[in-house]
């Protein structure tokens, strides 16, 4: 198995929280998500869907920045292409998405 390392920016932060894991294996995309962290927190007034929208946006921006650094790709063009492919995938693939929610609280 090929796992990524925890970003060093999280070193020493006892409140650092893993929100998502994405695996490609056995011919499919497999995802683990920490859902409800904001919704279930008694002291949080952060909207869960707003937070996930920001997380997805951050991931896209990290992809664009990483591809600029590693392959010289233009960040603006990469972001535009990611948006196009993301929106198409939501329309085409989401209705057939299968999986289950596992409550690990």
């Amino acid at each position: 198995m090929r796992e990524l390392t925890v970003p060093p920016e999280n070193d020493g932060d006892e409140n650092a929280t893993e929100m998502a894991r994405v695996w490609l294996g056995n011919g499919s995309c497999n995802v683990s998500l920490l859902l409800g962290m904001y919704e279930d927190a008694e002291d949080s007034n952060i909207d869960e869907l707003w937070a996930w929208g920001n997380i997805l946006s951050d991931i896209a921006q990290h992809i664009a920045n990483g591809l600029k650094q590693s392959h010289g790709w233009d960040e603006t063009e990469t972001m535009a292409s990611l948006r196009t492919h993301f929106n198409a995938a939501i329309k085409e693939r989401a209705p057939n998405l299968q999986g289950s929610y596992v409550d690990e609280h």
Side-chain angles (χ1 to χ4, degrees):
M1 250 196 301
R2 184 176 172 194
E3 284 187 65
L4 300 175
T5 59
V6 174
E9 294 83 2
N10 292 313
D11 290 348
D13 183 353
E14 63 184 45
N15 295 316
T17 303
E18 184 174 41
M19 298 298 293
R21 275 193 170 210
V22 180
W23 290 88
L24 301 177
N26 295 320
S28 66
C29 180
N30 305 290
V31 180
S32 295
L33 302 169
L34 177 58
L35 299 174
M37 185 176 94
Y38 300 100
E39 187 68 25
D40 298 341
E42 293 179 11
D43 61 345
S44 175
N45 60 356
I46 297 172
D47 178 77
E48 184 82 14
L49 297 178
W50 176 87
W52 279 105
N54 277 285
I55 290 169
L56 292 173
S57 173
D58 286 353
I59 291 170
Q61 291 175 60
H62 281 290
I63 291 168
N65 179 269
L67 288 171
K68 176 184 178 183
Q69 293 179 40
S70 66
H71 292 78
W73 293 13
D74 180 85
E75 283 182 88
T76 302
E77 290 175 13
T78 300
M79 286 297 294
S81 184
L82 285 172
R83 264 195 272 345
T84 298
H85 295 304
F86 179 85
N87 289 332
I90 284 179
K91 288 179 184 176
E92 294 169 16
R93 296 171 45 194
N96 298 314
L97 184 70
Q98 295 183 10
S100 60
Y101 174 73
V102 178
D103 190 355
E104 294 183 356
H105 288 37

